Amino acid sequence: MAGLLMLAAVGCAEERGIIGPPLPDPPFDPELAANSIYSLRYAADNAIVAQVRTIAEVLGLAEPRGNRVAHSELRDSSDRVDLLRTLEPRSLERAVANVAASRASGAKTPLFPINFLGKEFIFDASIDAYVEYGDGGPENGVRFELYVVDLSSGLPALPLQPFGFVDLTDESDAVSARLRMRAFDTSGGGTRRVADYLVDGAFASDANGVSVSLLAEGFAEDQNGRFDFELDELLEFDDAAGMTYVTSKHRVLSAEGTEVRLQVGGGLSADGSHADLRFRMDLDGSAGRTLVDLAVVNGAQNGEIRQAGRVEALVEGTVEAPVFIDAAGRGFTSSELAALDEILFGMDDVLAFAGEAYVPLADLFAY
C-alpha cells in the first residue's frame, strides 16, 4: 500500500509540474557534432591495419598501390562515391566468390599459399619486403613482426622499431571464406592484444550474376585510439545490366564514445558512368543524435541534417561542393558551415575505414 501511495504521489507531482517536463533537446551545434567525429578521421589510417595491408603487398599477394598518404590529406580529392567504388570487384568480391565456389565443388582452396602456413616473417628494410624467419607462425596461418609504421608510405618506419606481431589465420568453412586477424603488442614486457577482427565472405550466383555477402567485426587500436566496428555489406553484380547494387550497414565506435552508424544503399554502374546512392548516418556522442539523410545521384546531392527529429539543415549542391541551407532561416556562420561539411566527411571516414578493414582479405584473395 505504501508503494502505491508513493506512486500516486509521484504521479500527482508530475501532473502539477513539481517535477516538471523533461528537459528540452539541446540546440543543434554543428561544431560540437563535427568535433565529436574528429577522431574517426584516423580510423582509416589505423597503423595496425596499414601494416597488414603492407604485409600482403610485399609478399606479392596484392599489387602495390604506390606511396600511401594519410587519409586526412586525401579528403579534398576524394568523395563517398569514389570510396564506394573501391569496394567493387577488383579482387575481394570476385575472389570470395571464386574461392567459395571452389569449396562448394569439393575443393579445399586455402586463403594462404600452402608454403606460407606456419611460417613467421620479419621485415628486411634493405629490400622493403618481408622475408621468412622461421616456423613460429600458427598452424593454419602466418605470423609477421609488427613495426611502427610511417603512414606517409605505409611501410615500417626507419630505423625499424618492432613492437609485436600479427597472426593471420584461415578459419574458413565449407560455405564461407573467413580470415581472422589478431595483433599483439609485446613492447611492454607482456603480450597485449591490440587488434582482433574477423572478415567473412560468402556468395550466391545465378544466370544474372553474383551476390556477395561480407561481414566483419572486431577492434583495432594504435596510438590514435581504439575503434570497435561492425560491417555488413551485400553487393549484387548484375552482369546483364552492368550494375553493382550495394546494401551496407557500418558501425564504428571510437574510444571517446562517439558511435557512428552508417547505412548505404543504391547502385553503381560497372563503367562508372552512373551512381544513385542513399546515405543515412546516425551520430551519438555529440550532446544528442545527429542524423544525415542524403541522396547522391551522379555527384549531385540532396538531403537533410536532423537532430532529435528536427530538420536543422538542408543539403544541396555536389559531393565536392555541398550547399547548406539553414532550415530555421537564421543563417550559418563560416565556422558552422565548415563543421557541417565535416559531418558529411564523417561518412567518408567510416567508408574508408570499412574499405581498409576489408583490405587484408581482399589482398590475400588476389591470386
Short mmCIF file of all heavy atoms in Angstrom, two decimals, residues 145-192:
data_model
loop_
_atom_site.label_atom_id
_atom_site.label_comp_id
_atom_site.label_asym_id
_atom_site.label_seq_id
_atom_site.Cartn_x
_atom_site.Cartn_y
_atom_site.Cartn_z
N GLU A 145 56.18 -9.97 -37.96
CA GLU A 145 56.63 -8.98 -36.99
C GLU A 145 55.93 -7.65 -37.28
O GLU A 145 55.73 -7.28 -38.44
CB GLU A 145 58.14 -8.80 -37.10
CG GLU A 145 58.74 -7.95 -36.02
CD GLU A 145 59.17 -8.76 -34.81
OE1 GLU A 145 59.07 -10.00 -34.84
OE2 GLU A 145 59.60 -8.14 -33.82
N LEU A 146 55.52 -6.96 -36.22
CA LEU A 146 54.89 -5.65 -36.36
C LEU A 146 55.91 -4.56 -36.03
O LEU A 146 56.71 -4.71 -35.10
CB LEU A 146 53.70 -5.52 -35.42
CG LEU A 146 52.35 -6.07 -35.91
CD1 LEU A 146 51.31 -5.92 -34.82
CD2 LEU A 146 51.90 -5.37 -37.18
N TYR A 147 55.84 -3.46 -36.78
CA TYR A 147 56.75 -2.35 -36.58
C TYR A 147 55.96 -1.04 -36.53
O TYR A 147 54.83 -0.96 -37.04
CB TYR A 147 57.76 -2.26 -37.74
CG TYR A 147 58.54 -3.53 -37.96
CD1 TYR A 147 58.03 -4.54 -38.76
CD2 TYR A 147 59.79 -3.73 -37.37
CE1 TYR A 147 58.73 -5.72 -38.99
CE2 TYR A 147 60.51 -4.90 -37.58
CZ TYR A 147 59.97 -5.90 -38.38
OH TYR A 147 60.67 -7.06 -38.58
N VAL A 148 56.56 -0.02 -35.96
CA VAL A 148 55.98 1.31 -36.06
C VAL A 148 55.95 1.69 -37.53
O VAL A 148 56.94 1.52 -38.25
CB VAL A 148 56.81 2.33 -35.26
CG1 VAL A 148 56.29 3.75 -35.49
CG2 VAL A 148 56.80 1.97 -33.78
N VAL A 149 54.79 2.16 -38.01
CA VAL A 149 54.58 2.41 -39.43
C VAL A 149 54.69 3.89 -39.76
O VAL A 149 54.23 4.75 -39.01
CB VAL A 149 53.19 1.87 -39.86
CG1 VAL A 149 52.82 2.34 -41.25
CG2 VAL A 149 53.19 0.35 -39.80
N ASP A 150 55.31 4.18 -40.88
CA ASP A 150 55.30 5.53 -41.44
C ASP A 150 54.06 5.63 -42.32
O ASP A 150 54.01 5.05 -43.41
CB ASP A 150 56.56 5.75 -42.27
CG ASP A 150 56.59 7.12 -42.95
OD1 ASP A 150 55.61 7.88 -42.80
OD2 ASP A 150 57.59 7.41 -43.62
N LEU A 151 53.02 6.33 -41.84
CA LEU A 151 51.76 6.36 -42.56
C LEU A 151 51.85 7.08 -43.90
O LEU A 151 50.97 6.93 -44.75
CB LEU A 151 50.67 7.00 -41.69
CG LEU A 151 50.19 6.14 -40.53
CD1 LEU A 151 49.18 6.91 -39.69
CD2 LEU A 151 49.59 4.83 -41.02
N SER A 152 52.91 7.87 -44.12
CA SER A 152 53.04 8.53 -45.42
C SER A 152 53.43 7.54 -46.51
O SER A 152 53.18 7.78 -47.69
CB SER A 152 54.07 9.65 -45.35
OG SER A 152 55.37 9.12 -45.13
N SER A 153 54.03 6.42 -46.13
CA SER A 153 54.44 5.42 -47.12
C SER A 153 53.72 4.10 -46.93
O SER A 153 53.66 3.29 -47.86
CB SER A 153 55.95 5.18 -47.04
OG SER A 153 56.29 4.56 -45.80
N GLY A 154 53.18 3.86 -45.73
CA GLY A 154 52.56 2.57 -45.45
C GLY A 154 53.56 1.49 -45.10
O GLY A 154 53.18 0.34 -44.90
N LEU A 155 54.83 1.82 -45.05
CA LEU A 155 55.89 0.86 -44.74
C LEU A 155 56.41 1.10 -43.33
O LEU A 155 56.24 2.18 -42.77
CB LEU A 155 57.03 1.01 -45.75
CG LEU A 155 56.71 0.65 -47.20
CD1 LEU A 155 57.88 1.03 -48.10
CD2 LEU A 155 56.40 -0.84 -47.34
N PRO A 156 57.07 0.10 -42.74
CA PRO A 156 57.69 0.31 -41.42
C PRO A 156 58.66 1.48 -41.45
O PRO A 156 59.43 1.66 -42.40
CB PRO A 156 58.42 -1.02 -41.17
CG PRO A 156 57.60 -2.04 -41.91
CD PRO A 156 57.16 -1.32 -43.16
N ALA A 157 58.60 2.31 -40.40
CA ALA A 157 59.46 3.49 -40.32
C ALA A 157 60.91 3.07 -40.07
O ALA A 157 61.17 2.02 -39.47
CB ALA A 157 58.97 4.41 -39.21
N LEU A 158 61.82 3.90 -40.52
CA LEU A 158 63.24 3.65 -40.30
C LEU A 158 63.79 4.61 -39.26
O LEU A 158 63.42 5.79 -39.26
CB LEU A 158 64.01 3.81 -41.62
CG LEU A 158 63.62 2.83 -42.74
CD1 LEU A 158 64.42 3.14 -44.00
CD2 LEU A 158 63.85 1.39 -42.30
N PRO A 159 64.67 4.16 -38.36
CA PRO A 159 65.09 2.76 -38.22
C PRO A 159 63.94 1.88 -37.74
O PRO A 159 63.00 2.37 -37.10
CB PRO A 159 66.21 2.84 -37.18
CG PRO A 159 65.85 4.05 -36.35
CD PRO A 159 65.26 5.03 -37.31
N LEU A 160 64.01 0.61 -38.06
CA LEU A 160 62.93 -0.31 -37.71
C LEU A 160 62.71 -0.34 -36.20
O LEU A 160 63.67 -0.41 -35.42
CB LEU A 160 63.25 -1.72 -38.20
CG LEU A 160 63.26 -1.92 -39.72
CD1 LEU A 160 63.66 -3.35 -40.06
CD2 LEU A 160 61.91 -1.59 -40.33
N GLN A 161 61.44 -0.27 -35.81
CA GLN A 161 61.08 -0.28 -34.39
C GLN A 161 60.03 -1.38 -34.17
O GLN A 161 58.84 -1.12 -34.17
CB GLN A 161 60.51 1.07 -33.98
CG GLN A 161 61.44 2.24 -34.24
CD GLN A 161 60.75 3.57 -34.02
OE1 GLN A 161 60.31 3.87 -32.90
NE2 GLN A 161 60.64 4.37 -35.07
N PRO A 162 60.46 -2.63 -34.01
CA PRO A 162 59.50 -3.71 -33.78
C PRO A 162 58.81 -3.56 -32.44
O PRO A 162 59.41 -3.10 -31.46
CB PRO A 162 60.36 -4.97 -33.82
CG PRO A 162 61.73 -4.52 -33.46
CD PRO A 162 61.86 -3.12 -34.00
N PHE A 163 57.53 -3.91 -32.38
CA PHE A 163 56.81 -3.82 -31.10
C PHE A 163 55.85 -4.97 -30.86
O PHE A 163 55.22 -5.05 -29.82
CB PHE A 163 56.03 -2.50 -31.01
CG PHE A 163 54.85 -2.40 -31.94
CD1 PHE A 163 53.60 -2.89 -31.57
CD2 PHE A 163 54.98 -1.82 -33.18
CE1 PHE A 163 52.52 -2.79 -32.43
CE2 PHE A 163 53.90 -1.71 -34.03
CZ PHE A 163 52.67 -2.19 -33.66
N GLY A 164 55.75 -5.92 -31.79
CA GLY A 164 54.83 -7.03 -31.58
C GLY A 164 54.72 -7.89 -32.81
O GLY A 164 55.64 -7.93 -33.65
N PHE A 165 53.59 -8.55 -32.95
CA PHE A 165 53.40 -9.42 -34.11
C PHE A 165 51.91 -9.50 -34.43
O PHE A 165 51.05 -9.18 -33.61
CB PHE A 165 53.96 -10.83 -33.85
CG PHE A 165 53.31 -11.56 -32.71
CD1 PHE A 165 52.20 -12.40 -32.92
CD2 PHE A 165 53.80 -11.44 -31.41
CE1 PHE A 165 51.60 -13.07 -31.87
CE2 PHE A 165 53.20 -12.11 -30.35
CZ PHE A 165 52.10 -12.93 -30.58
N VAL A 166 51.63 -9.93 -35.66
CA VAL A 166 50.26 -10.11 -36.11
C VAL A 166 50.12 -11.53 -36.66
O VAL A 166 51.00 -12.02 -37.37
CB VAL A 166 49.87 -9.07 -37.19
CG1 VAL A 166 50.79 -9.13 -38.40
CG2 VAL A 166 48.42 -9.27 -37.63
N ASP A 167 49.04 -12.20 -36.28
CA ASP A 167 48.71 -13.52 -36.80
C ASP A 167 47.51 -13.41 -37.73
O ASP A 167 46.47 -12.87 -37.35
CB ASP A 167 48.36 -14.49 -35.66
CG ASP A 167 49.58 -14.98 -34.91
OD1 ASP A 167 50.71 -14.77 -35.41
OD2 ASP A 167 49.42 -15.57 -33.83
N LEU A 168 47.66 -13.91 -38.94
CA LEU A 168 46.55 -14.03 -39.89
C LEU A 168 46.23 -15.51 -40.01
O LEU A 168 47.10 -16.31 -40.36
CB LEU A 168 46.94 -13.46 -41.25
CG LEU A 168 47.41 -12.01 -41.29
CD1 LEU A 168 47.82 -11.63 -42.71
CD2 LEU A 168 46.34 -11.07 -40.78
N THR A 169 44.99 -15.89 -39.72
CA THR A 169 44.63 -17.31 -39.74
C THR A 169 43.41 -17.54 -40.62
O THR A 169 42.53 -16.70 -40.74
CB THR A 169 44.33 -17.82 -38.31
OG1 THR A 169 43.34 -17.00 -37.70
CG2 THR A 169 45.59 -17.80 -37.47
N ASP A 170 43.41 -18.71 -41.24
CA ASP A 170 42.32 -19.12 -42.12
C ASP A 170 41.31 -19.91 -41.29
O ASP A 170 41.60 -21.01 -40.83
CB ASP A 170 42.89 -19.99 -43.24
CG ASP A 170 41.84 -20.41 -44.26
OD1 ASP A 170 40.63 -20.15 -44.02
OD2 ASP A 170 42.21 -21.00 -45.29
N GLU A 171 40.12 -19.34 -41.06
CA GLU A 171 39.07 -20.01 -40.30
C GLU A 171 37.86 -20.28 -41.20
O GLU A 171 36.72 -20.27 -40.75
CB GLU A 171 38.68 -19.17 -39.08
CG GLU A 171 39.85 -18.95 -38.12
CD GLU A 171 39.44 -18.28 -36.82
OE1 GLU A 171 38.23 -18.03 -36.63
OE2 GLU A 171 40.34 -18.01 -35.99
N SER A 172 38.12 -20.54 -42.47
CA SER A 172 37.04 -20.78 -43.44
C SER A 172 36.35 -22.10 -43.18
O SER A 172 36.89 -23.01 -42.55
CB SER A 172 37.62 -20.78 -44.86
OG SER A 172 38.33 -19.59 -45.13
N ASP A 173 35.10 -22.17 -43.65
CA ASP A 173 34.38 -23.44 -43.62
C ASP A 173 33.87 -23.73 -45.02
O ASP A 173 34.29 -23.10 -45.99
CB ASP A 173 33.25 -23.42 -42.59
CG ASP A 173 32.27 -22.29 -42.82
OD1 ASP A 173 32.12 -21.83 -43.98
OD2 ASP A 173 31.62 -21.85 -41.85
N ALA A 174 32.95 -24.66 -45.15
CA ALA A 174 32.51 -25.10 -46.47
C ALA A 174 31.72 -24.04 -47.22
O ALA A 174 31.63 -24.07 -48.46
CB ALA A 174 31.66 -26.37 -46.33
N VAL A 175 31.13 -23.09 -46.51
CA VAL A 175 30.25 -22.13 -47.18
C VAL A 175 30.78 -20.71 -47.19
O VAL A 175 30.25 -19.85 -47.89
CB VAL A 175 28.83 -22.14 -46.54
CG1 VAL A 175 28.18 -23.49 -46.72
CG2 VAL A 175 28.92 -21.76 -45.05
N SER A 176 31.81 -20.42 -46.41
CA SER A 176 32.32 -19.05 -46.40
C SER A 176 33.84 -19.05 -46.27
O SER A 176 34.44 -20.00 -45.76
CB SER A 176 31.70 -18.26 -45.25
OG SER A 176 32.15 -18.74 -44.00
N ALA A 177 34.42 -17.96 -46.75
CA ALA A 177 35.85 -17.73 -46.60
C ALA A 177 36.02 -16.77 -45.43
O ALA A 177 35.42 -15.70 -45.41
CB ALA A 177 36.42 -17.15 -47.88
N ARG A 178 36.83 -17.14 -44.46
CA ARG A 178 36.90 -16.35 -43.23
C ARG A 178 38.35 -16.16 -42.79
O ARG A 178 39.09 -17.12 -42.61
CB ARG A 178 36.12 -17.05 -42.11
CG ARG A 178 36.06 -16.26 -40.81
CD ARG A 178 35.26 -17.01 -39.75
NE ARG A 178 33.89 -17.23 -40.18
CZ ARG A 178 33.33 -18.44 -40.30
NH1 ARG A 178 34.04 -19.52 -40.01
NH2 ARG A 178 32.08 -18.56 -40.69
N LEU A 179 38.73 -14.90 -42.65
CA LEU A 179 40.05 -14.53 -42.19
C LEU A 179 39.96 -13.94 -40.79
O LEU A 179 39.09 -13.10 -40.53
CB LEU A 179 40.66 -13.49 -43.13
CG LEU A 179 41.98 -12.85 -42.67
CD1 LEU A 179 43.13 -13.83 -42.83
CD2 LEU A 179 42.25 -11.57 -43.45
N ARG A 180 40.85 -14.38 -39.89
CA ARG A 180 40.93 -13.76 -38.58
C ARG A 180 42.28 -13.06 -38.47
O ARG A 180 43.32 -13.63 -38.81
CB ARG A 180 40.79 -14.77 -37.45
CG ARG A 180 40.76 -14.08 -36.07
CD ARG A 180 40.39 -15.01 -34.95
NE ARG A 180 40.18 -14.27 -33.71
CZ ARG A 180 39.89 -14.84 -32.54
NH1 ARG A 180 39.75 -16.16 -32.47
NH2 ARG A 180 39.72 -14.09 -31.46
N MET A 181 42.24 -11.82 -38.01
CA MET A 181 43.44 -11.02 -37.84
C MET A 181 43.57 -10.64 -36.38
O MET A 181 42.68 -10.02 -35.81
CB MET A 181 43.36 -9.77 -38.71
CG MET A 181 44.72 -9.09 -38.95
SD MET A 181 45.34 -8.15 -37.56
CE MET A 181 44.40 -6.64 -37.75
N ARG A 182 44.67 -11.04 -35.75
CA ARG A 182 44.95 -10.68 -34.36
C ARG A 182 46.36 -10.11 -34.27
O ARG A 182 47.30 -10.70 -34.79
CB ARG A 182 44.82 -11.90 -33.45
CG ARG A 182 43.39 -12.41 -33.28
CD ARG A 182 43.31 -13.52 -32.26
NE ARG A 182 44.05 -14.70 -32.72
CZ ARG A 182 44.17 -15.81 -32.01
NH1 ARG A 182 43.65 -15.89 -30.79
NH2 ARG A 182 44.84 -16.85 -32.49
N ALA A 183 46.46 -8.96 -33.61
CA ALA A 183 47.76 -8.31 -33.45
C ALA A 183 48.05 -8.13 -31.97
O ALA A 183 47.14 -7.88 -31.16
CB ALA A 183 47.77 -6.95 -34.15
N PHE A 184 49.34 -8.25 -31.60
CA PHE A 184 49.76 -8.21 -30.21
C PHE A 184 50.94 -7.25 -30.05
O PHE A 184 51.87 -7.24 -30.86
CB PHE A 184 50.14 -9.60 -29.72
CG PHE A 184 49.03 -10.60 -29.80
CD1 PHE A 184 48.83 -11.35 -30.96
CD2 PHE A 184 48.15 -10.77 -28.74
CE1 PHE A 184 47.80 -12.27 -31.04
CE2 PHE A 184 47.12 -11.69 -28.81
CZ PHE A 184 46.94 -12.43 -29.97
N ASP A 185 50.89 -6.47 -28.98
CA ASP A 185 51.97 -5.56 -28.61
C ASP A 185 52.78 -6.20 -27.50
O ASP A 185 52.25 -6.50 -26.42
CB ASP A 185 51.37 -4.22 -28.16
CG ASP A 185 52.41 -3.17 -27.85
OD1 ASP A 185 53.60 -3.52 -27.69
OD2 ASP A 185 52.04 -1.98 -27.74
N THR A 186 54.07 -6.42 -27.76
CA THR A 186 54.94 -7.05 -26.75
C THR A 186 55.98 -6.07 -26.21
O THR A 186 56.90 -6.48 -25.49
CB THR A 186 55.67 -8.26 -27.37
OG1 THR A 186 56.43 -7.82 -28.51
CG2 THR A 186 54.67 -9.32 -27.82
N SER A 187 55.84 -4.78 -26.53
CA SER A 187 56.87 -3.82 -26.16
C SER A 187 56.91 -3.54 -24.66
O SER A 187 57.93 -3.09 -24.14
CB SER A 187 56.66 -2.50 -26.91
OG SER A 187 55.39 -1.93 -26.58
N GLY A 188 55.81 -3.82 -23.95
CA GLY A 188 55.77 -3.54 -22.52
C GLY A 188 56.21 -4.69 -21.65
O GLY A 188 56.05 -4.63 -20.43
N GLY A 189 56.76 -5.72 -22.24
CA GLY A 189 57.20 -6.87 -21.47
C GLY A 189 56.19 -8.00 -21.46
O GLY A 189 56.56 -9.16 -21.33
N GLY A 190 54.89 -7.68 -21.61
CA GLY A 190 53.87 -8.71 -21.71
C GLY A 190 53.41 -8.85 -23.15
O GLY A 190 54.09 -8.43 -24.08
N THR A 191 52.24 -9.44 -23.32
CA THR A 191 51.63 -9.59 -24.65
C THR A 191 50.23 -9.02 -24.59
O THR A 191 49.32 -9.64 -24.04
CB THR A 191 51.59 -11.07 -25.08
OG1 THR A 191 52.92 -11.60 -25.06
CG2 THR A 191 51.02 -11.21 -26.47
N ARG A 192 50.05 -7.83 -25.16
CA ARG A 192 48.76 -7.14 -25.12
C ARG A 192 48.13 -7.17 -26.50
O ARG A 192 48.76 -6.80 -27.49
CB ARG A 192 48.95 -5.69 -24.65
CG ARG A 192 47.65 -4.91 -24.51
CD ARG A 192 47.90 -3.54 -23.89
NE ARG A 192 48.68 -2.67 -24.76
CZ ARG A 192 48.13 -1.82 -25.64
NH1 ARG A 192 46.82 -1.75 -25.77
NH2 ARG A 192 48.90 -1.05 -26.39
#
